[in-house]
Amino acid sequence: FLLRCAQLAGLADSRVLYNPRVGSVLVHDDRIIGEGYHQQAGQAHAEVNCLASVPSADRSLIPEATLYISLEPCYITGRTGACVDVIRREGIPTVVFAQRDTTEGAGGKSVAILREAGVTVREYPDFAPTLIPNAHRRVFTQKGRPFVLLKWAQSSDEFLRPADRRQAYWITNPISRRLVHRWRSKTSAIIVGARTVIEDNPSLTTRLFPGPNARPVVLDLRNRCTGQERIFQGVGELPLVFASRPRPELTAEVVVLAKKEIAAALPRVLAALHERNYGQVTVEGGAIVLTAFIQTDLWDEARVFTGAIRFGEGLLAPSLPLNSSLLERRKVDTDILNIWARPQVQRKVESQK
């Protein structure tokens, strides 16, 4: 049942912002009678959605059921009310959850409240599947920055692009490209460099998958963007541009930084994104930007596609540190997807065909 909670939590997208991604199921005699997940910041939490989903024929069973949750229920009365109050009001006798909340001062308080009310509480903090959906929350609360996901595609001989910039190419297949758009729906912002904006002119939307668009973030510390590029043309949220001087000609929110080297600017960039409550951001390139995040050790996970195409020569793909941990290796049609993380992230290696 906790595994089902983890699956439900994984359905949440970037609309939760920095808040936890939580799933919940209500079980009576080994039968799930309700389930739900936290869908959007400021709206009902997983436990509330779970209880609301119980059909009228089963509502009389709630005081005899067990509530499973991927994360410790909240005790703070914010915009949605405290979940511990809902649990007590519904008369639920047993609560089972995986990890405690990592918010400073919060971990374990709801446990004490529920036990004092006579509720049986069981915890499974080492249950790995429920750790994955909330990786962004742990980084946000413990490191004071968003969870940073690196993403790139490389040829079979490890080039980002061919030597001839005029050559048209796709490294990955359509299935992989659709998967990337699904990932975009789960991230609050997509970070690219000015060169990518000017030369590739991407839209950075989720047009291949239903879900919210992430906010474009452009590192333009040498003030090269003209404002005519596609991301400045009014699709979705205003881009956030980091530049070294004011840029009134851009249809964007501009943050002025004194630094002109990307690596030196990254701590301030991530601080600004943290201030805007962005829980997870994705870095989509190019090589200079990706390498800057790697060299400054400001990353948490890297998703690297290797396509079947060969370039022979061109722009080399970034290199991850040798102590990076392989989380997952997956075959996506003709592509190979490797997911890497820093050593402290714990998750089993999976091989899928």
Side-chain angles (χ1 to χ4, degrees):
F1 295 123
L2 282 178
L3 179 60
R4 179 57 181 161
C5 291
Q7 293 169 344
L8 290 165
L11 296 176
D13 57 34
S14 63
R15 285 172 286 199
V16 301
L17 296 175
Y18 61 96
N19 295 290
R21 294 173 183 170
V22 183
S24 178
V25 298
L26 188 67
V27 179
H28 182 269
D29 285 344
D30 289 333
R31 178 172 68 92
I32 293 177
I33 61 174
E35 62 180 30
Y37 67 96
H38 182 39
Q39 301 180 27
Q40 186 165 337
Q43 296 187 6
H45 287 186
E47 299 91 321
V48 175
N49 286 330
C50 172
L51 291 166
S53 76
V54 177
S56 57
D58 289 333
R59 295 205 68 83
S60 63
L61 303 176
I62 293 177
E64 304 170 7
T66 297
L67 184 66
Y68 291 81
I69 322 165
S70 60
L71 187 74
E72 173 185 6
C74 71
Y75 71 94
I76 299 173
T77 302
R79 290 176 288 180
T80 59
C83 290
V84 292
D85 293 339
V86 175
I87 293 168
R88 290 183 295 182
R89 184 170 63 246
E90 293 285 352
I92 296 171
T94 305
V95 171
V96 179
F97 70 87
Q99 287 83 34
R100 294 193 178 193
D101 191 349
T102 56
T103 304
E104 185 177 358
K109 285 195 174 180
S110 64
V111 177
I113 292 171
L114 290 174
R115 285 177 174 161
E116 186 176 345
V119 178
T120 299
V121 181
R122 297 198 298 272
E123 305 177 49
Y124 293 88
D126 297 325
F127 187 64
T130 50
L131 284 167
I132 297 168
N134 259 329
H136 74 289
R137 177 67 176 179
R138 293 190 297 277
V139 171
F140 189 90
T141 56
Q142 296 175 354
K143 296 187 177 182
R145 63 166 175 81
F147 182 93
V148 176
L149 172 64
L150 310 180
K151 193 282 296 181
W152 73 83
Q154 60 189 27
S155 64
S156 60
D157 48 356
E158 300 185 351
F159 291 104
L160 289 181
R161 60 165 175 79
D164 184 358
R165 293 177 178 273
R166 298 167 297 178
Q167 178 181 338
Y169 65 92
W170 278 109
I171 292 178
T172 54
N173 63 59
I175 299 174
S176 295
R177 296 199 289 273
R178 186 173 175 83
L179 180 58
V180 168
H181 284 225
R182 180 189 178 195
W183 294 341
R184 284 179 177 178
S185 73
K186 294 181 177 294
T187 197
S188 296
I190 298 175
I191 302 176
V192 294
R195 188 169 187 173
T196 295
V197 171
I198 295 168
E199 295 185 357
D200 297 345
N201 199 18
S203 62
L204 302 180
T205 64
T206 58
R207 61 193 178 278
L208 300 181
F209 187 86
N213 288 323
R215 187 178 191 184
V217 175
V218 183
L219 305 184
D220 188 15
L221 302 178
R222 300 186 183 277
N223 311 305
R224 293 183 292 177
C225 291
T226 66
Q228 301 304 308
E229 295 83 7
R230 187 176 286 125
I231 65 169
F232 298 112
Q233 303 309 309
V235 178
E237 194 173 0
L238 276 181
L240 177 62
V241 178
F242 291 89
S244 59
R245 62 173 173 79
R247 302 294 306 281
E249 70 276 18
L250 301 182
T251 306
E253 178 187 357
V254 178
V255 175
V256 177
L257 299 179
K259 306 288 185 181
K260 289 195 175 182
E261 299 301 324
I262 290 177
L266 288 185
R268 180 66 188 96
V269 169
L270 293 179
L273 297 176
H274 185 269
E275 290 166 4
R276 287 161 175 77
N277 289 330
Y278 293 161
Q280 176 178 310
V281 299
T282 299
V283 183
E284 292 201 9
I288 293 175
V289 174
L290 287 163
T291 300
F293 275 93
I294 294 169
Q295 291 180 343
T296 56
D297 202 28
L298 292 172
W299 66 286
D300 300 287
E301 187 172 302
R303 299 179 181 178
V304 183
F305 286 99
T306 300
I309 191 172
R310 289 182 61 86
F311 291 146
E313 58 180 353
L315 178 64
L316 281 171
S319 297
L320 293 170
L322 294 177
N323 63 345
S324 301
S325 301
L326 180 64
L327 301 180
E328 183 178 339
R329 180 178 175 86
R330 182 190 307 176
K331 187 171 175 56
V332 185
D333 194 18
T334 56
D335 300 332
I336 299 296
L337 170 62
N338 286 326
I339 301 180
W340 301 87
R342 300 170 65 195
Q344 71 268 22
V345 178
Q346 296 181 355
R347 179 173 162 194
K348 288 183 179 179
V349 176
E350 301 173 3
S351 180
Q352 301 181 13
K353 294 185 179 180

